[in-house]
Amino acid sequence: MTSLFRALGPAVAGTSMVEAIRAGVGALVGLGVTGLFLLSPAVDLTLGLYLIAPFGASSVLLFAVPNSPLAQPWSAVVGNTFAALVGVAVCLLITDPVLRIALSVGLAIAVTILCRAVHPPAGAVAMTAAMSPEAVERLGFWFALAPVAAGTVLLVVLAALYARLTGRRYPFRQFEEPGRHGTEDPDPVNRIGLSEDELTDLLGRYRQSFNLGVEDLARLIGAAEMQAATHRTGPLLATDIMSRNLVTIDPDTPLSEVADLFRRHRFTALPVTGSEERYLGVIFQMHLIARAREDALRLNHGYLAALRRLLDRDRAQPVRALDIMSVAGPRAIPTTPVAVLLPMMADGDVDAVPVLDRGRIVGIVTRTDLIAALARSSLQGGAA
């Protein structure tokens, strides 16, 4: 009995209030803008430019679950449009309302599956057409273009803009999409040794093609492998592997000196500290390169010339470490498990994680430290 009640409970993992508000505001903005600038809340049987109830269901997918294959532009636009065409055709041919509605929805489902454009609100679109013989008589197949296609396209465009503004990704990633570095290599956590065809076969085998995209499956498998790897690191903590004899700089250190330290010590990161070793931020070697690239573009110089100009700038107005250091990014404390540090550096955004104790920097864990620790752990595991 307990298992029965559990099965009737929520199947979706809990989410944050911020995400709930983000999705709700997105739907408000999407439908609001659509209603203000394209479609009227009142039924318009002349031009067909009016809101229909299925757009509310489309908004749930587009703004609440933008990673779902059912919410992607092809599924939304083609699914809704083809369902409208089916609904109009059935409405023009069948007079019995019950048969008309049932046949419209059933055929719409079949057609959208065959078109690889399954979008649940499409069933409601077909049903709306079947239940609106007056509108269909006036608009005919124009109903599929306005309001259905026009409204869906606008919602998709607004969903893409809103996702970008709120830090989400829509449309979702494609498997063959270049990685963050602009090369054909996938991001490190996605290099799982499985081809797109193999991942597609997995989704088909477990009947999950409608629920998950190939790229998201790769990301989930990669994340699961990463999480599993953390279980094999044992009780290692940041304090066990961090570098302690640190080379730090103060906020007023000129970039020429920063570059010299990078060259001399072959570091990729330098912590910036204030009095009593209070941690203020970090400069990654990539920050120096990015600053030189900005100067190259602004001055229309070559990259190397811009880098030399940056480092040889008049000492009366030096560029300081404070100007390019990062104050964000992950941080750790001495008791942070290595298992937590792994995902911090797996995606390539940072080369090192500072270790702080009451605001003072006491060490730094670099990728080299992490790789060495994992190698030792693997060797010890093999010896056991």
Side-chain angles (χ1 to χ4, degrees), residues 52-64:
I52 55 175
F55 289 155
S58 290
S59 296
V60 173
L61 286 171
L62 297 177
F63 293 99

Side-chain angles (χ1 to χ4, degrees), residues 57-82:
S58 290
S59 296
V60 173
L61 286 171
L62 297 177
F63 293 99
V65 284
N67 276 2
S68 170
L70 307 178
Q72 300 314 300
W74 175 270
S75 298
V77 176
V78 174
N80 278 353
T81 303
F82 276 40

Side-chain angles (χ1 to χ4, degrees), residues 27-251:
L28 184 153
V29 171
L31 288 173
V33 171
T34 302
L36 283 174
F37 295 101
L38 182 62
L39 305 180
S40 169
V43 175
D44 180 355
L45 295 182
T46 302
L47 298 176
L49 296 176
Y50 61 95
L51 290 170
I52 55 175
F55 289 155
S58 290
S59 296
V60 173
L61 286 171
L62 297 177
F63 293 99
V65 284
N67 276 2
S68 170
L70 307 178
Q72 300 314 300
W74 175 270
S75 298
V77 176
V78 174
N80 278 353
T81 303
F82 276 40
L85 291 172
V86 168
V88 170
V90 171
C91 190
L92 293 174
L93 294 173
I94 306 296
T95 57
D96 181 75
V98 175
L99 178 60
R100 187 171 66 221
I101 292 170
L103 188 60
S104 295
V105 175
L107 286 176
I109 291 173
V111 168
T112 54
I113 288 177
L114 291 174
C115 294
R116 298 170 61 184
V118 176
H119 185 64
V125 169
M127 188 171 178
T128 299
M131 294 177 64
S132 310
E134 292 182 6
V136 169
E137 183 179 352
R138 291 284 300 274
L139 296 172
F141 288 102
W142 180 260
F143 176 81
L145 295 178
V148 176
T152 307
V153 167
L154 183 55
L155 283 174
V156 165
V157 170
L158 292 172
L161 294 174
Y162 187 74
R164 182 176 293 273
L165 291 173
T166 56
R168 295 292 296 271
R169 182 69 176 265
Y170 180 81
F172 68 10
R173 302 167 179 83
Q174 299 298 316
F175 186 77
E176 68 277 4
E177 185 174 320
R180 69 178 65 234
H181 302 297
T183 66
E184 294 184 1
D185 287 328
D187 291 333
V189 293
N190 292 357
R191 297 174 193 171
I192 57 177
L194 295 175
S195 68
E196 182 176 10
D197 289 340
E198 288 172 315
L199 291 168
T200 301
D201 181 64
L202 277 175
L203 288 173
R205 193 186 312 167
Y206 290 94
R207 301 179 182 178
Q208 295 298 314
S209 300
F210 294 151
N211 300 320
L212 198 63
V214 170
E215 172 68 15
D216 282 333
L217 177 60
R219 291 171 59 222
L220 285 175
I221 293 175
E225 288 180 342
M226 182 67 66
Q227 189 65 32
T230 66
H231 295 172
R232 296 192 289 271
T233 60
L236 282 176
L237 305 176
T239 189
D240 299 321
I241 68 170
M242 68 185 185
S243 301
R244 301 170 185 273
N245 186 16
L246 304 180
V247 175
T248 62
I249 56 177
D250 63 62

